[in-house]
Amino acid sequence: MVVDYLIIGQGISGTMLSWYLYREGKTFLVIDHEAVDTPSRVAAGIINPVTGRRYVTTWMIEEVMPFSISAYTTIGNFLGHDLVQNKNIIDFFPSTQMREAFIERIDEDDQYLNAFPDQNHFNQYFNYDFGCGEISPCFSIDLQTLLYEWNKKLVEMNSFRQAEFKPGDLTFTADQVQYEDITAQKIIFCNGTGTMDLPAFQLLPFAPNKGETLLIECKDLKNQFIFKRSMVVAPTPEKDIFWVGSSYAWEFDHAHPTEQFLKNTKTLLDHWIKLPYKILSHKASVRPATLERRPFIGFHPNYPALGILNGMGSKGASLAPFFAHQLVQHIVHSLPITDEANVNRFSRILSK
Ligand SMILES: Cc1cc2nc3c(=O)[nH]c(=O)nc-3n(C[C@H](O)[C@H](O)[C@H](O)COP(=O)(O)OP(=O)(O)OC[C@H]3O[C@@H](n4cnc5c(N)ncnc54)[C@H](O)[C@@H]3O)c2cc1C
């Protein structure tokens, strides 16, 4: 089989990369072993323009957010599904200090933070002693439907193979790769933390980060907003079903759900939500995060047939469409890759 590009991994990165290659009329094959609880499958798909306790504007969000919303709308129209919901975040302050930090940022004219005038609006649903504010615009992307529907399309186009990629079976020159029966000009690794096993890229400063999440059923809870108070309660496309999460663990013994997270999250929900709820499932996954919190995009400085679209960390929903598009524009039209994201910033490490 001869294709232009071989893509490893069909999470959100491999999905958007293959979408843009498809739009450029390129041929490709996507290989994915369809692991069950990958980050892209357990993620809430939230795009939030601010981050951290100081409500700092997320890196490149002015460019990345509008681009990604438009990308999901376009691919959603193509697949016949509405993938984008505008769901602003109601942030319940855990302390007076956090309330003050929020107000301070509004005073500094932060474009994404707003006072919520009716402070008692959510009294029926939540306990909150320190008030709330609104972060807008925020979005919720239906990644599950996107991955599933795009996979169906890939299968229809004979562009998908369900298999585990084995690095030892890959051979390559400067302008060609060979893997089993597949010959391609380039191979692009979109396989999340799986890329850490590849000799060519294993020295990159990945910093895998584990996250756990619950799905709960909560009748009568409003689904127009995403609610936040150290954790997030976000509506899913299914009626009365909410996503709850998540944890951020830099150190962990295994990638499975833990009793500790379940216990802590139940305690939080019991104090916070006034309505009865039922826990439906508990999942965990490991984010492909990086030490300096910037993605790895582009081609290996010494092996130009080996590419990477990875390191999306906790922001895959917003970063993946933008950088998948940028990588395809780089491949097809030789356009530049953002310096801070270009994997060639690690030339010295990758040359060891
Ligand atoms: C609990 C949790 C909540 C999150 N919530 C959000 C959120 O709300 N918003 C947001 O923006 N981000 C969120 N994230 C982060 C987001 O999920 C990631 O940034 C994103 O999913 C990374 O996508 P990816 O395609 O790069 O990698 P992955 O999702 O890891 O996809 C990699 C794919 O490669 C495949 N693969 C791996 N190795 C091999 C191999 N050897 N052979 C074949 N296939 C292979 C896997 O099966 C998988 O399908 C969350 C993450 C977690 C864990």
Side-chain angles (χ1 to χ4, degrees), residues 17 38 53 65 128 134 165 222 232 258 276 294 331 333 351:
L17 183 69
T38 63
R53 296 176 70 81
M65 186 160 67
Y128 53 107
E134 184 177 22
F165 171 81
K222 296 258 180 239
V232 156
T258 62
R294 297 289 177 264
I331 293 170
H333 305 293
S351 301

Side-chain angles (χ1 to χ4, degrees), residues 81-296:
H81 288 268
D82 192 1
L83 303 173
V84 180
Q85 301 290 316
N86 174 207
K87 305 263 177 203
N88 292 345
I89 294 179
I90 300 298
D91 193 1
F92 296 107
F93 309 124
S95 62
T96 39
Q97 287 91 327
M98 288 298 283
R99 183 189 171 83
E100 276 158 22
F102 192 93
I103 293 167
E104 229 171 79
R105 295 288 288 135
I106 296 180
D107 291 345
E108 288 165 12
D109 196 25
D110 188 289
Q111 57 175 315
Y112 301 115
L113 304 184
N114 308 297
F116 198 83
D118 182 4
Q119 286 286 299
N120 294 323
H121 192 80
F122 302 102
N123 270 342
Q124 208 184 324
Y125 311 105
F126 293 100
N127 291 306
Y128 53 107
D129 296 332
F130 304 100
C132 61
E134 184 177 22
I135 307 172
S136 84
C138 299
F139 297 89
S140 169
I141 310 299
D142 185 355
L143 295 180
Q144 278 65 24
T145 300
L146 170 58
L147 264 57
Y148 177 78
E149 292 296 331
W150 181 242
N151 182 266
K152 270 186 8 197
K153 197 80 202 164
L154 290 174
V155 171
E156 250 171 64
M157 299 189 295
N158 285 325
S159 296
F160 184 79
R161 192 177 284 183
Q162 185 191 355
E164 183 179 354
F165 171 81
K166 299 197 180 71
D169 295 346
L170 178 73
T171 54
F172 55 89
T173 61
D175 49 19
Q176 198 176 78
V177 302
Q178 185 70 41
Y179 181 74
E180 298 179 341
D181 58 322
I182 309 151
T183 306
Q185 291 164 27
K186 291 184 190 294
I187 183 168
I188 302 172
F189 293 98
C190 303
N191 53 332
T193 51
T195 304
M196 293 167 67
D197 299 333
L198 287 168
F201 287 118
Q202 69 188 4
L203 290 180
L204 286 176
F206 277 100
N209 181 287
K210 179 177 172 183
E212 297 187 47
T213 146
L214 303 180
L215 275 189
I216 63 166
E217 182 178 42
C218 187
K219 296 201 163 94
D220 303 324
L221 184 58
K222 296 258 180 239
N223 70 355
Q224 306 87 314
F225 294 105
I226 294 165
F227 302 103
K228 182 163 175 277
R229 186 185 138 174
S230 71
M231 288 237 187
V232 156
V233 171
T236 69
E238 256 183 279
K239 189 172 179 296
D240 300 331
I241 310 295
F242 293 80
W243 183 98
V244 181
S246 72
S247 52
Y248 294 85
W250 298 105
E251 285 181 22
F252 47 92
D253 300 330
H254 56 76
H256 308 297
T258 62
E259 276 304 313
Q260 191 63 39
F261 174 83
L262 188 61
K263 197 170 142 226
N264 292 350
T265 310
K266 268 159 83 175
T267 307
L268 174 91
L269 292 177
D270 291 345
H271 281 95
W272 183 25
I273 304 189
K274 288 182 174 172
L275 302 168
Y277 68 89
K278 188 163 100 192
I279 296 175
L280 303 177
S281 67
H282 174 191
K283 293 182 174 177
S285 195
V286 181
R287 302 174 181 91
T290 71
L291 261 190
E292 16 131 78
R293 299 176 191 221
R294 297 289 177 264
F296 302 142

Side-chain angles (χ1 to χ4, degrees), residues 8-14 31-35 38-46 163-165 190-194 211-213 243 246 285-288 309-310 312-318:
I8 309 304
Q10 197 229 321
I12 186 58
S13 298
I31 296 181
D32 193 300
H33 60 174
E34 302 199 316
T38 63
S40 298
R41 287 169 194 238
V42 309
I46 295 169
E164 183 179 354
F165 171 81
C190 303
N191 53 332
T193 51
E212 297 187 47
T213 146
W243 183 98
S246 72
S285 195
V286 181
R287 302 174 181 91
L309 178 70
N310 208 319
M312 302 296 158
S314 58
K315 307 273 179 240
S318 54

